[in-house]
Amino acid sequence: MSVAMVNLASTSTLSEPVVLGEVSETLMIPLWCRAIESERRRGLLHDPKAQAMVAALDYDFDRRFADLRRLAFRACLRTVMIDRWVQRFIRARRHATVVEIGTGLNTRFERVDDGALRWFDVDLPDSMALRRRFFTDTSRRTMIEGAFGDEDWLARIEPAEGPKLFIVEAVLVYLDEAVVRRGFEQIARAFPGSEIIFDTVTTRAVSSRNRPMMKSYQAPFVWGCDDPRVIEGWAQHRLRETTTIDELPRELRRRVPLEHRLMLPYLRWRKPELLRSHALNRVELHPPMTDDR
Ligand SMILES: C[S@@+](CC[C@H](N)C(=O)[O-])C[C@H]1O[C@@H](n2cnc3c(N)ncnc32)[C@H](O)[C@@H]1O
């Protein structure tokens, strides 16, 4: 599909300048990466809507990312690996509800929808205002203004019955651990037994200055997590799966750039901590045993 053929929600507001807070503005990074990766032959994903949004937005993508095109696939690795987990969840259950928190301008619904699931997109008011320029609510898809760590928006997730999957991609690293812990507990109380997929960054990577994609952004990395099993100690949560974005399923390995594939053995040998620095996790959420609230 060509960029021009993609339906964008409200064309009259597209050329308005983008006004976002420091953390909210980071949504432009994965958006741009998805658009650029879509140009690569046999790339990890094909996201014409991301391409259309990048083309439509009044934003200085070129200045910020001009020399970073060869790195765009890395953010997409995280995205497509999460897509696969989400698709597996949906396939295994009927009438699933998926809640994407800190959704930015993500197009995951477009990539994984099975025609039956119920979907909620949650984000801070400024990010959501931007999202509303490009997306509209439907009977199966709803946008909600809300923050991970606040619980007011959880009451808007219906129906109460049925399996629930929460996704928080490239968001928790910007939050305090106390907020992350509180957010998990709030979801666990509202929807015990639900699952949450999220990524974690090691403390070493959090303090690293070597983050090319972030170089023109002010948002600091905050929460570092060296071992996702720590989350089990916060309540009765269960870590069901953890992997890194470099433990690639065979099918995806063939679709990363050759240069990266050739580098992997060297990195495994010389810089294993780099390969372990970014993990993807799937956790089943349960409230604490002794509920003394
Ligand atoms: C790096 S972007 C990731 C966007 C999206 N998940 C993606 O992968 O394209 C970070 C997003 O987190 C959102 N965010 C930051 N703090 C948040 C919070 N406390 N609750 C919900 N979203 C938050 C921002 O508004 C922004 O959309």
Side-chain angles (χ1 to χ4, degrees), residues 23-24 26-27 30 34 101-104 106 123-124 127 146-148 169-171 174-175:
V23 176
S24 301
T26 61
L27 65 82
R34 287 191 299 275
I101 310 169
T103 182
N106 205 343
D123 208 324
L124 304 177
S127 298
F148 188 90
E169 178 181 1
V171 177
Y174 299 108
L175 307 182

Side-chain angles (χ1 to χ4, degrees), residues 21-27 29 173-174 206 209 211 214-222:
E22 281 176 1
V23 176
S24 301
E25 194 175 354
T26 61
L27 65 82
I29 304 171
V173 71
Y174 299 108
V206 160
R209 299 262 154 259
R211 281 198 291 274
M214 295 287 297
K215 69 177 186 234
S216 65
Y217 290 87
Q218 302 303 318
F221 277 9
V222 180

Side-chain angles (χ1 to χ4, degrees), residues 89-90 92-99 117-118 157-166 191-195:
F89 183 94
I90 297 165
R93 294 160 184 83
R94 293 187 64 218
H95 304 302
T97 298
V98 180
V99 184
L117 55 76
R118 183 76 175 92
I157 308 296
E158 57 10 272
E161 298 303 314
K164 306 269 178 316
L165 174 65
F166 294 79
F191 302 108
S194 59
E195 290 193 11

Side-chain angles (χ1 to χ4, degrees), residues 45-195:
L45 49 73
H46 182 60
D47 192 338
K49 182 143 180 163
Q51 292 179 295
M53 288 189 280
V54 166
L57 279 165
D58 177 13
Y59 190 75
D60 51 0
F61 290 104
D62 288 342
R63 183 178 66 78
R64 287 172 187 269
F65 302 126
D67 50 345
L68 297 172
R69 294 177 71 92
R70 74 192 161 78
L71 297 180
F73 82 95
R74 281 197 68 81
C76 297
L77 270 181
R78 178 188 65 214
T79 298
V80 294
M81 287 174 77
I82 292 178
D83 282 357
R84 289 162 68 99
W85 282 1
V86 176
Q87 283 164 323
R88 196 179 58 193
F89 183 94
I90 297 165
R91 268 200 305 270
R93 294 160 184 83
R94 293 187 64 218
H95 304 302
T97 298
V98 180
V99 184
E100 175 107 36
I101 310 169
T103 182
L105 293 176
N106 205 343
T107 38
R108 179 161 285 117
F109 177 86
E110 279 77 3
R111 291 192 300 277
V112 305
D113 181 33
D114 65 353
L117 55 76
R118 183 76 175 92
W119 191 279
F120 294 88
D121 279 301
V122 179
D123 208 324
L124 304 177
D126 57 348
S127 298
M128 202 43 102
L130 180 63
R131 186 175 179 87
R132 286 183 190 281
R133 294 191 203 174
F134 298 100
F135 297 83
T136 41
D137 285 348
T138 68
S139 57
R140 292 193 296 112
R141 189 180 194 185
T142 307
M143 290 177 275
I144 302 176
E145 282 73 8
F148 188 90
D150 291 349
E151 59 191 334
D152 47 344
W153 58 270
L154 278 165
R156 294 192 51 199
I157 308 296
E158 57 10 272
E161 298 303 314
K164 306 269 178 316
L165 174 65
F166 294 79
I167 311 164
V168 210
E169 178 181 1
V171 177
L172 299 184
V173 71
Y174 299 108
L175 307 182
D176 279 328
E177 183 172 298
V179 176
V180 176
R181 191 172 168 155
R182 187 172 73 223
F184 279 24
E185 194 169 320
Q186 289 164 344
I187 297 172
R189 285 182 201 284
F191 302 108
S194 59
E195 290 193 11

